[in-house]
């Protein structure tokens, strides 16, 4: 048996697409190697140069996980949430039949669960819709994502799934203001990852381990995350 690591994170890049409510991030050079020569770093026979960059971003850009505080005024901020929430056994559902701006319903989850061969019981559930591959990096990626219905979100919570994850900027479609998924997450004490990538590599792989620990932002409404999965093959 071999172990394979699947990177599920979208690299943060300057001016990358973001949710319609949010500014795009800034990620630019700060000090370049050629600029640092005048700093006189190192020693004469072994001079040193260095490079740094500046990043200015909201905490809901690229691959991230929502804090409870994001939609609940008395909820925990990302730096307060238990680390145990952010890794564990997981399964990825094939939902590529869901169209842009479509709705993921209970029957879609039930069919995908049966096809996966894994019964959801406390699993982190990742939902592969193909959105990212269809659209990124075109701006349509932030105006086309499907949503998860109220009933489907309750279905996940009822099976002990404390966290689920999607491609694209939101678990709710951008063509309405109902926020079905976010409302249930708020009321049931669960949360979700947004803008995961490479989920197609996990379809049909059964159960695997998922890791997605966010930055420990003391007052974070969300947490930029380096997410990955480990497959035993």
């Amino acid at each position: 048996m071999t172990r394979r690591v699947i990177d599920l994170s979208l690299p943060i890049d300057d001016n990358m697409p973001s949710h319609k409510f949010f500014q795009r991030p800034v990620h630019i050079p700060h000090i370049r190697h050629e600029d640092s020569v005048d700093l006189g770093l190192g020693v004469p026979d072994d001079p040193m140069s260095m490079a740094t960059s500046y990043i200015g971003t909201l905490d809901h850009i690229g691959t991230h996980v929502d804090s409870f505080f994001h939609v609940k005024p008395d909820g925990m901020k990302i730096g307060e949430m238990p680390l145990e929430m952010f890794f564990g056994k997981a399964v990825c559902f094939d939902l590529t039949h869901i169209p842009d701006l479509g709705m993921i319903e209970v029957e879609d989850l039930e069919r995908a669960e049966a096809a996966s061969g894994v019964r959801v019981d406390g699993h982190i559930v990742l939902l592969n819709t193909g959105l990212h591959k269809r659209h990124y990096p075109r701006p349509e990626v932030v105006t086309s994502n499907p949503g998860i219905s109220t009933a489907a979100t309750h279905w996940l919570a009822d099976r002990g799934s404390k966290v689920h994850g999607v491609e694209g900027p939101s678990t709710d479609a951008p063509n309405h203001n109902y926020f079905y998924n976010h409302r249930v997450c708020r009321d049931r004490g669960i949360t979700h990852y947004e803008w995961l990538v490479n989920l197609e590599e996990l379809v049909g792989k059964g159960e695997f381990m998922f890791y997605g620990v966010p930055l420990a932002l003391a007052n974070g409404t969300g947490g930029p995350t380096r997410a990955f999965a480990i497959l035993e093959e």
Side-chain angles (χ1 to χ4, degrees), residues 17-20 100-102 131 135 138-146 168-169 172-175 195:
S18 62
H19 191 280
K20 64 180 181 179
D100 289 353
L101 301 177
L131 173 84
H135 295 298
R138 294 182 293 114
E140 288 84 355
V141 73
V142 300
T143 59
S144 303
N145 62 278
D172 284 302
N175 59 342
W195 224 320

Side-chain angles (χ1 to χ4, degrees), residues 71 101-105 146-154 164 170-188 190 192:
V71 290
L101 301 177
M103 187 71 77
I104 298 169
E105 301 286 1
I148 307 172
S149 74
T150 296
T153 311
H154 280 298
H164 49 279
S170 181
T171 55
D172 284 302
N175 59 342
H176 61 78
N177 287 319
Y178 294 108
F179 295 97
Y180 301 109
N181 178 266
H182 282 77
R183 287 175 183 268
V184 176
C185 286
R186 176 196 65 190
D187 297 341
R188 296 292 301 268
I190 63 176
H192 48 253

Side-chain angles (χ1 to χ4, degrees), residues 31-112:
I31 298 176
R32 297 177 174 87
H33 280 282
E34 57 270 28
D35 300 329
S36 70
V37 174
D38 293 339
L39 297 176
L41 303 175
V43 294
D45 62 343
D46 187 11
M48 292 288 295
S49 65
M50 71 172 183
T52 59
S53 61
Y54 169 82
I55 183 168
T57 182
L58 299 176
D59 49 12
H60 291 263
I61 298 298
T63 304
H64 66 278
V65 60
D66 286 5
S67 74
F68 293 146
F69 177 70
H70 179 50
V71 290
K72 190 174 184 179
D74 62 349
M76 286 186 288
K77 296 174 182 177
I78 204 70
E80 301 167 332
M81 294 170 69
L83 285 174
E84 290 80 5
M85 287 197 67
F86 305 123
F87 63 91
K89 62 182 182 179
V91 63
C92 186
F93 286 173
D94 183 3
L95 296 171
T96 49
H97 66 285
I98 302 293
D100 289 353
L101 301 177
M103 187 71 77
I104 298 169
E105 301 286 1
V106 169
E107 53 266 32
D108 299 306
L109 297 181
E110 289 179 339
R111 284 196 297 267

Side-chain angles (χ1 to χ4, degrees), residues 114-137:
S116 76
V118 177
R119 179 171 175 77
V120 176
D121 180 16
H123 291 75
I124 295 168
V125 179
L126 310 182
L127 306 177
N128 172 51
T129 61
L131 173 84
H132 185 78
K133 277 192 168 293
R134 280 198 300 276
H135 295 298
Y136 194 83

Side-chain angles (χ1 to χ4, degrees), residues 4 6 90-93 115-118 199-209 229-233:
R4 186 157 65 99
I6 307 296
V91 63
C92 186
F93 286 173
S116 76
V118 177
L199 294 185
E200 63 277 358
E201 296 195 40
L202 301 175
V203 170
K205 299 301 184 182
E207 184 179 287
F208 53 87
M209 286 296 295
I230 297 180
L231 299 179
E232 303 285 352
E233 299 179 319

